[in-house]
Amino acid sequence: MPDRLNQLKTRFRQELLELYSQVKWGDLPSMFSCLDILIGLYFGQDNDLPLFKHHPLEPSWSERDYFILSKTQALLAHYFILAKRGYFEESELTKTHYFNPTLPYHPSIKTKGVNSAARIAGTGSAIAAGIAFQLHQTEQKNHVFCLCGDSEIQQGLFWESLMLIQHHQIKNFTLLIDYNELQMNSQLRASINYLPLGEKLGKFGFRVIPVANGHNLSEIVAAITKAKESTGPCALIFHTTKGKGISFFENRTSYSYQQFSPTELTTAQNELS
């Protein structure tokens, strides 16, 4: 499986770069930070069974797992993965723009495979906790995953969501934290420093699983497998690199929501080839 996933990883980075250069929206460094996490979740397997239970041809399948994208600056990457999984035709990806009813600039539950309309930082975790709470109340076993960025954790709504999970002892809930330590304009530590993160999450009843290399698909799949087998809520802290794969914008804040010059695009294409 790792070989198969690594092949996808290489190809998907190349294709996502090309898509980004066509549609010209989104935050590519943020997308490349979490792309491997999305690949591991949507394409990973445990004993030949999918890690993430879903049916692209039946998006509302009652036994499906739920995925909530809280860091919506990476929405284009999520659309890309959904298209690769067959939720809609890949040709739809090039139509994405502000007013596209199929794949809008902001997430919408009208889009196949999208489970929330989270737009503001931190709201995705609240929506995910709400879905998990409803499933818990009706004694359903569907697992809820929420991918959030590390800067969102500065929001009070994030911690309120954890209190809901802790108070009701909700089990089938996993946070996927894209921990690249950079915000749009600065280092995370230069803003509100909430470290040590793992220790604080543990106090809210979460089993914390750090992933030293958040771009290693074997480690990603292993961590998600542990989370699904856990008897309580989990927080997977993936140590990632913003802009992973393109040397001149790795660990940089200056390329957020920026387009490449023709020379930069050629350099990026060559590095990913």
Side-chain angles (χ1 to χ4, degrees), residues 178-225:
D178 179 11
Y179 190 71
N180 59 42
E181 300 187 65
L182 289 175
Q183 296 180 305
M184 187 181 298
N185 298 313
S186 67
Q187 290 187 341
L188 186 68
R189 293 168 185 261
S191 184
I192 300 175
N193 191 340
Y194 52 68
L195 301 178
L197 177 58
E199 181 179 321
K200 290 179 180 177
L201 291 171
K203 291 183 182 298
F204 281 82
F206 276 70
R207 177 188 179 188
V208 178
I209 303 176
V211 181
N213 184 351
H215 301 289
N216 183 302
L217 283 159
S218 294
E219 291 186 32
I220 292 169
V221 169
I224 296 173
T225 301

Side-chain angles (χ1 to χ4, degrees), residues 159-195:
W159 298 100
E160 290 178 34
S161 305
L162 301 196
M163 285 192 285
L164 176 71
I165 297 295
Q166 182 183 41
H167 179 75
H168 292 282
Q169 299 182 351
I170 298 171
K171 299 178 180 178
N172 300 331
F173 184 84
T174 298
L175 287 170
L176 309 169
I177 300 174
D178 179 11
Y179 190 71
N180 59 42
E181 300 187 65
L182 289 175
Q183 296 180 305
M184 187 181 298
N185 298 313
S186 67
Q187 290 187 341
L188 186 68
R189 293 168 185 261
S191 184
I192 300 175
N193 191 340
Y194 52 68
L195 301 178

Side-chain angles (χ1 to χ4, degrees), residues 3-270:
D3 288 341
R4 176 180 66 87
L5 293 184
N6 283 323
Q7 289 173 0
L8 292 180
K9 171 179 176 176
T10 300
R11 178 162 59 87
F12 283 2
R13 263 184 169 68
Q14 296 168 343
E15 294 180 8
L16 184 55
L17 172 64
E18 294 302 317
L19 175 63
Y20 175 77
S21 67
Q22 290 181 57
V23 299
K24 295 180 170 58
W25 68 268
D27 183 356
L28 189 63
S30 186
M31 295 181 216
F32 274 20
S33 179
C34 67
L35 181 61
D36 299 320
I37 301 170
L38 292 172
I39 293 172
L41 180 65
Y42 276 89
F43 291 87
Q45 294 182 335
D46 178 31
N47 293 325
D48 296 325
L49 295 175
L51 282 181
F52 184 66
K53 292 193 304 181
H54 65 126
H55 280 321
L57 299 181
E58 189 182 349
S60 298
W61 178 43
S62 61
E63 296 182 22
R64 76 188 187 279
D65 291 333
Y66 289 78
F67 173 75
I68 306 299
L69 179 70
S70 188
K71 54 168 292 176
T72 54
Q73 65 268 37
L75 179 61
L76 183 60
H78 188 210
Y79 284 162
F80 177 83
I81 292 294
L82 290 175
K84 292 297 183 181
R85 289 270 47 172
Y87 280 89
F88 42 80
E89 295 295 329
E90 291 187 38
S91 59
E92 291 293 319
L93 291 169
T94 57
K95 303 175 185 177
T96 52
H97 53 75
Y98 284 93
F99 304 106
N100 186 340
T102 305
L103 302 178
Y105 184 77
H106 293 293
S108 168
I109 57 174
K110 294 180 180 180
T111 302
K112 292 180 180 179
V114 174
N115 293 302
S116 84
R119 296 187 181 187
I120 302 171
T123 57
S125 57
I127 293 171
I131 293 172
F133 174 69
Q134 178 61 31
L135 293 168
H136 174 74
Q137 291 293 88
T138 53
E139 299 183 350
Q140 298 180 67
K141 304 300 182 183
N142 315 60
H143 205 98
V144 179
F145 295 92
C146 178
L147 175 60
C148 59
D150 46 12
S151 62
E152 292 176 52
I153 297 173
Q154 297 170 338
Q155 301 290 327
L157 192 56
F158 174 85
W159 298 100
E160 290 178 34
S161 305
L162 301 196
M163 285 192 285
L164 176 71
I165 297 295
Q166 182 183 41
H167 179 75
H168 292 282
Q169 299 182 351
I170 298 171
K171 299 178 180 178
N172 300 331
F173 184 84
T174 298
L175 287 170
L176 309 169
I177 300 174
D178 179 11
Y179 190 71
N180 59 42
E181 300 187 65
L182 289 175
Q183 296 180 305
M184 187 181 298
N185 298 313
S186 67
Q187 290 187 341
L188 186 68
R189 293 168 185 261
S191 184
I192 300 175
N193 191 340
Y194 52 68
L195 301 178
L197 177 58
E199 181 179 321
K200 290 179 180 177
L201 291 171
K203 291 183 182 298
F204 281 82
F206 276 70
R207 177 188 179 188
V208 178
I209 303 176
V211 181
N213 184 351
H215 301 289
N216 183 302
L217 283 159
S218 294
E219 291 186 32
I220 292 169
V221 169
I224 296 173
T225 301
K226 289 179 182 177
K228 292 209 71 171
E229 294 172 349
S230 181
T231 57
C234 283
L236 311 184
I237 304 177
F238 296 99
H239 291 263
T240 57
T241 300
K242 193 166 188 174
K244 178 67 174 179
I246 300 176
S247 62
F248 62 84
F249 77 3
E250 282 189 357
N251 288 317
R252 299 276 298 278
T253 59
S254 56
Y255 279 91
S256 291
Y257 291 95
Q258 300 298 314
Q259 294 300 314
F260 293 120
S261 69
T263 300
E264 288 173 331
L265 179 59
T266 299
T267 300
Q269 290 169 331
N270 290 338

